[in-house]
């Protein structure tokens, strides 16, 4: 299950990156900067980011969090997501500029060769391509080449836009580095040093301590915003479609007949379609292109079969609409068409009828509630519960922050004025069925949760203090001897390198600290990892002593260019990112709550 969630999370993130990169490159670059700053979230190195694009990016990160944790983020976590959104946007544009400055391009053959030769770990571990514990390479290759039955377009896009260009950028970065010989040797030494080491592990769970009520109260008061419950309301809402009357339908037929007469009199079909048609093809002068006859209504097929090429049909009724088709070409099973479609427009009488019905429902709602009132008229009310300023999406209405703010001030039983919807083709009638003022989760409700949090923090802190006392009191081999007597776990790592893991944790900080020790029989300072406190001890260190700097440079850069995690390149890129000119205009409070 964890593997499935991890796979889904990475796919969500990659899909998000791909969608945003395409949209940014096509839309943001070259945006008219003369618009009001209110239309934008900010700028990165001259590239403008609209509020809509920033929100899309933020929601992509938000969705990634929910997939990973199976819950919504707290206010503090939202702040972190907000900051991460900006960090990723800045990194995106810095990379786009670097790719352009260095003339870095990618071809699809490169992408396919890379993905087929070196299958990404995410694909190897994905349940989508594993059967009985074995990776199905045939299915993977088929999906890569055909995007079927699983669409891997997002993966190819990620390699095309990021993975392969990044690898090429690394080469450029190494070629332009101004590292002096000593810096090159230090970097080389890090990757080729081996340490006969031991790692002392202090498990916080073995530490005895307790949490008292005063500590719980202090934590609760300090983090009170975490337990804030926003004002919310429940609603019942009913959609009242405006249905054209018989008179409106007759008017539509009259318009269709009039257009038919004009065409017969020599009017240009495409001109009339672009002016009067109520079909989506209006913007293309009524052109439908080639259409399969099997996909057309029976009465339309019969009429078209009787209509020669370059001629048009009489007005044909389809439901409440009237259609005139111009036949431009015919094949064995298809036909090329242009269309003029006329729909009945609701007139004053139709609106008066719906207005009267809504008044009657509103009046009856005061007595029996809107759900029962609409049922009396053979209609059905829908409900939406727990609406807040943040949870502000109402079905059929979409994002409705202002409306919800209004409803939060209403008493239960209040029926709002009808809201126009769908270009006046319908109205929404809303009743506030319940409302709740803002409040806070009682401390009693979250006491157990707080105790667990505090207990974990205290145990971790006490374990860290024990580790500090150990290295402050003992030197050399006595540290290991004392640790064993104290019952701490001592892990033998006779050949520790930069790729080593401890308890299956890839701890960059701990490993780097051990590799950076200057002499044998010395220890690192304590490091807190996800499962406890660690400190490293080097019994003996084997460092390379390269003489040929040119060879060092070439061998180091060749190795680094193939590394997934490359600290030299990461540092180089971080410097480029820190030099980026970033301006933020976006209202932080919308995503960074106080």
């Amino acid at each position: 299950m964890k593997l499935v969630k991890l796979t889904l999370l990475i796919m969500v993130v990659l899909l998000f990156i791909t969608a945003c990169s395409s949209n940014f490159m096509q839309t943001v670059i070259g945006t008219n900067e003369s618009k009001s700053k209110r239309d934008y979230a900010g700028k990165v190195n001259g590239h403008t980011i609209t509020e809509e694009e920033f929100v899309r990016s933020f929601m992509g990160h938000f969705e990634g969090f929910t997939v990973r944790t199976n819950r919504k983020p707290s206010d503090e976590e939202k702040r972190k997501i907000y900051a991460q959104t900006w960090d990723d946007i800045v990194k995106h544009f810095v990379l786009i500029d670097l790719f352009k400055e260095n003339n870095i391009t990618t071809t699809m053959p490169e992408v396919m060769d890379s993905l087929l030769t070196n299958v990404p770990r995410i694909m190897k571990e994905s349940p989508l391509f594993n059967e009985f514990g074995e990776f199905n390479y045939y299915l993977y290759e088929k999906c890569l080449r055909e995007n079927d039955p699983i669409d891997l377009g997002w993966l190819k896009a990620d390699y095309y836009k990021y993975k392969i260009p990044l690898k090429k950028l690394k080469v450029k970065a190494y070629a332009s580095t101004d590292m002096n010989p000593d810096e090159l040797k230090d970097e080389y030494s890090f990757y080729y040093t081996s340490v006969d080491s031991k790692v002392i592990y202090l498990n916080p769970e073995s530490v005895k301590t307790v949490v008292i009520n005063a500590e719980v109260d202090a934590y609760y008061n300090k983090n009170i915003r975490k337990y804030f419950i926003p004002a919310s309301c429940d609603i019942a809402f009913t959609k009242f479609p405006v249905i054209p009357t018989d008179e409106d339908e007759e008017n539509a037929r009259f318009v269709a007949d009039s257009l038919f007469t004009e065409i017969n009199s020599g009017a240009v079909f495409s001109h009339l379609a672009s002016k009067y048609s109520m079909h989506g093809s209006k913007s293309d002068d009524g052109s439908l292109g080639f259409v399969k006859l099997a996909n057309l209504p029976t009465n339309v097929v019969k009429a078209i079969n009787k209509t020669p090429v370059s001629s048009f049909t009489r007005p044909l009724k389809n439901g409440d609409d009237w259609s005139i088709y111009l036949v431009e070409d015919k094949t064995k099973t298809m036909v090329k068409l242009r269309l003029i479609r006329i729909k009945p427009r609701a007139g004053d009488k139709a609106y008066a009828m719906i207005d009267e019905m809504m008044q009657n429902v509103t009046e009856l709602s005061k007595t029996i509630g809107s759900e029962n009132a609409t049922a009396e008229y053979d209609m059905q009310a829908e409900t939406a519960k727990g609406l807040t300023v943040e949870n502000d999406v109402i079905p059929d209405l979409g994002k409705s922050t202002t409306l919800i703010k209004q409803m939060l001030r209403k008493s239960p039983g209040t029926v709002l004025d009808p809201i126009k919807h769908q270009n006046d083709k319908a109205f929404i009638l809303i009743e506030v069925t319940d409302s709740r003022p803002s409040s806070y989760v009682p401390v009693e409700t979250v006491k157990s949760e707080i105790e667990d949090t505090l207990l974990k923090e205290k145990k971790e802190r006490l374990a860290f203090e024990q580790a500090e006392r150990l290295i402050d009191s003992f030197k050399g081999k006595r540290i290991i001897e004392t640790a064993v007597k104290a019952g701490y776990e001592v892990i033998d790592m006779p050949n520790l390198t930069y790729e080593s893991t401890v308890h299956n944790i890839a701890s960059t900080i701990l490993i780097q600290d051990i590799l950076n020790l200057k002499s044998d029989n010395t220890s690192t300072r304590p490091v807190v990892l996800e499962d406890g406190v660690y400190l490293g001890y080097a019994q003996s260190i084997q460092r390379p002593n390269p003489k040929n700097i040119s060879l060092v440079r070439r061998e180091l850069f060749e190795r680094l260019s193939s590394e997934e995690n490359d600290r030299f390149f990461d540092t180089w890129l971080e410097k480029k990112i820190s030099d980026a000119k970033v301006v933020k205009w976006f209202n932080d409070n919308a995503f960074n709550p106080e």
Side-chain angles (χ1 to χ4, degrees), residues 510-530:
L510 176 63
I511 301 302
Q512 282 187 7
D513 285 353
I514 296 174
L515 291 174
N516 289 331
L517 289 171
K518 300 301 182 183
S519 58
D520 297 349
N521 295 315
T522 54
S523 58
T524 68
R525 300 303 298 181
V527 174
V528 178
L529 301 183
E530 60 189 66

Side-chain angles (χ1 to χ4, degrees), residues 95 98-99 102 104 165-173 569:
L95 285 174
L98 287 171
F99 295 158
N102 289 279
I104 292 174
L166 267 177
K167 191 171 182 179
K168 294 180 179 180
L169 183 61
K170 281 186 179 184
V171 176
K172 298 277 188 178
F569 179 74

Side-chain angles (χ1 to χ4, degrees), residues 317-416:
K317 196 170 192 307
N318 298 110
D320 295 330
D321 304 339
W322 291 89
S323 302
I324 305 173
Y325 293 89
L326 171 64
V327 180
E328 295 187 315
D329 196 6
K330 291 182 179 183
T331 67
K332 185 176 180 180
T333 62
M334 303 183 75
V335 59
K336 187 179 182 182
L337 300 171
R338 286 188 187 271
L339 168 67
I340 296 175
R341 177 160 293 168
I342 303 299
K343 300 174 179 287
R345 291 183 181 275
D348 293 342
K349 186 176 179 180
Y351 280 95
M353 290 171 61
I354 206 69
D355 186 57
E356 181 181 1
M357 177 176 285
M358 288 190 294
Q359 288 183 28
N360 292 337
V361 170
T362 300
E363 184 178 353
L364 188 56
S365 295
K366 296 175 182 178
T367 306
I368 62 175
S370 62
E371 290 185 73
N372 293 326
T374 52
E376 289 294 320
Y377 286 89
D378 289 330
M379 302 179 70
Q380 184 174 359
E382 297 184 58
T383 60
K385 298 183 181 296
L387 296 173
T388 68
V389 173
E390 287 189 350
N391 181 27
D392 58 356
V393 176
I394 300 176
D396 278 323
L397 289 178
K399 190 175 178 65
S400 309
T401 309
T402 302
L403 178 60
I404 289 174
K405 286 181 179 179
Q406 176 188 349
M407 293 190 297
L408 290 174
R409 296 191 293 267
K410 302 295 184 182
S411 303
T414 302
V415 179
L416 277 61

Side-chain angles (χ1 to χ4, degrees), residues 216-379:
V216 172
D217 292 338
Y219 181 93
Y220 177 84
N221 292 327
K222 182 180 178 180
N223 298 275
I224 190 68
R225 285 293 302 174
K226 180 178 178 181
Y227 306 108
F228 177 70
I229 303 174
S232 63
C233 65
D234 303 336
I235 65 171
F237 60 98
T238 307
K239 183 190 292 185
F240 291 81
V242 181
I243 302 173
T245 63
D246 292 343
E247 183 179 337
D248 297 327
E249 293 182 7
E250 190 58 36
N251 287 338
R253 178 174 182 173
F254 175 78
V255 172
D257 288 340
S258 299
L259 292 173
F260 180 72
T261 300
E262 287 194 46
I263 298 168
N264 270 322
S265 300
V268 178
F269 192 99
S270 59
H271 174 71
L272 294 180
S274 66
K275 190 173 182 180
Y276 298 107
S277 181
M278 298 177 184
H279 187 265
S281 60
K282 174 180 180 177
S283 60
D284 198 19
D285 297 336
S287 177
L288 298 178
F290 277 97
V291 181
K292 286 189 175 183
L293 287 168
N295 294 336
L296 295 172
T298 303
N299 66 322
V300 174
V301 173
K302 288 181 179 179
I304 288 174
N305 285 337
K306 297 177 182 178
T307 305
V309 172
S310 300
S311 298
F312 45 89
T313 67
R314 297 186 61 82
L316 304 173
K317 196 170 192 307
N318 298 110
D320 295 330
D321 304 339
W322 291 89
S323 302
I324 305 173
Y325 293 89
L326 171 64
V327 180
E328 295 187 315
D329 196 6
K330 291 182 179 183
T331 67
K332 185 176 180 180
T333 62
M334 303 183 75
V335 59
K336 187 179 182 182
L337 300 171
R338 286 188 187 271
L339 168 67
I340 296 175
R341 177 160 293 168
I342 303 299
K343 300 174 179 287
R345 291 183 181 275
D348 293 342
K349 186 176 179 180
Y351 280 95
M353 290 171 61
I354 206 69
D355 186 57
E356 181 181 1
M357 177 176 285
M358 288 190 294
Q359 288 183 28
N360 292 337
V361 170
T362 300
E363 184 178 353
L364 188 56
S365 295
K366 296 175 182 178
T367 306
I368 62 175
S370 62
E371 290 185 73
N372 293 326
T374 52
E376 289 294 320
Y377 286 89
D378 289 330
M379 302 179 70

Side-chain angles (χ1 to χ4, degrees), residues 145-163:
R145 296 190 185 281
E146 303 173 13
N147 287 336
D148 184 74
I150 302 166
D151 188 348
L152 293 183
W154 60 271
L155 180 63
K156 288 181 284 187
D158 179 54
Y159 267 64
Y160 184 86
K161 289 177 171 37
Y162 285 98
K163 287 286 195 301

